Amino acid sequence: MVKVLDRLLLFIFSLAVLIATFILLFAAFGLISFNTAGNFAHDVYYDLRTAIIFISSTVVAALLSLRFLYLSVRRGKSSSPSIDQRTEFGDIRISLDTVENLSLKAAGRTRGVQDLRARVKVNQSGLEIVIRAIVDGENSIPAMTEEMQANVKRHIEEITGIPVAFVTVFIANIQQSSPTFKSRVE
């Protein structure tokens, strides 16, 4: 939501800067007469309605400038989410994408699995891994999911050294076998 709002504000700010740039260029090339510019400056100083519009639009532009300046210099979570570990040699950062891919690799070793997706969440007790799978429907689903859970838990803990709190397997569907048609030759 915040990113969408920032994009909208950036669009409005860019449009306002573009319009102001064209006005200044027109004035610089003499396309806006000196009398028109002088009348506008006079209205800003002496006409309350023009002054309020000019001041409010300038304040909005200044606030937008400050917002974008803040966004450009802040240190945020611009990098991908990761799991940080400290060792005697220094820090180790493992991205959640890496853990998801390792989970998919371990779950893919299970026979009968067709399509896999993984989600990883970090909890105080360890990693929470959710595997979504489509299976072939030929093997026992409870045995297959237990094997998949054990494989994923063991593989993640071996490779990353991070404890896995639990592995949830969600069987979304079974793979429909495509009908085989035998052609008849007469």
Side-chain angles (χ1 to χ4, degrees):
M1 177 66 185
V2 174
K3 288 184 179 184
V4 173
L5 181 63
D6 283 338
R7 284 183 150 184
L8 178 67
L9 291 175
L10 182 60
F11 174 76
I12 292 169
F13 182 73
S14 299
L15 192 63
V17 168
L18 182 68
I19 291 170
T21 303
F22 278 122
I23 291 172
L24 291 174
L25 281 174
F26 287 167
F29 286 116
L31 299 174
I32 297 176
S33 68
F34 183 74
N35 288 337
T36 305
N39 288 339
F40 178 73
H42 181 270
D43 288 345
V44 168
Y45 277 99
Y46 297 108
D47 183 24
L48 183 62
R49 195 167 43 151
T50 305
I52 288 174
I53 292 171
F54 183 76
I55 290 170
S56 61
S57 61
T58 305
V59 166
V60 167
L63 290 175
L64 288 174
S65 297
L66 289 173
R67 170 76 179 157
F68 296 130
L69 181 66
Y70 167 73
L71 287 176
S72 67
V73 298
R74 77 173 178 169
R75 295 184 85 179
K77 295 182 179 179
S78 59
S79 61
S80 62
S82 63
I83 303 161
D84 301 335
Q85 293 179 328
R86 182 173 296 275
T87 66
E88 62 186 60
F89 302 112
D91 293 335
I92 299 173
R93 295 182 68 203
I94 302 172
S95 73
L96 291 183
D97 291 337
T98 302
V99 177
E100 285 178 6
N101 288 331
L102 288 170
S103 301
L104 292 174
K105 183 177 180 180
R109 293 180 184 153
T110 306
R111 179 176 293 155
V113 176
Q114 300 291 328
D115 185 26
L116 292 169
R117 293 196 178 113
R119 284 275 175 215
V120 177
K121 293 180 184 174
V122 180
N123 194 348
Q124 289 182 352
S125 59
L127 298 176
E128 299 174 5
I129 301 171
V130 178
I131 304 286
R132 180 189 178 277
I134 295 177
V135 297
D136 61 4
E138 302 293 322
N139 299 316
S140 168
I141 291 177
M144 186 185 319
T145 55
E146 284 180 26
E147 179 186 348
M148 194 182 311
Q149 288 171 319
N151 286 344
V152 169
K153 181 175 172 49
R154 183 176 52 253
H155 188 68
I156 297 298
E157 288 178 346
E158 267 180 23
I159 299 294
T160 64
I162 301 168
V164 176
F166 58 88
V167 178
T168 303
V169 177
F170 172 67
I171 304 298
N173 206 345
I174 61 167
Q175 180 72 33
Q176 299 294 331
S177 60
S178 59
T180 56
F181 295 106
K182 295 182 180 178
S183 63
R184 263 185 4 190
V185 178
E186 294 181 18

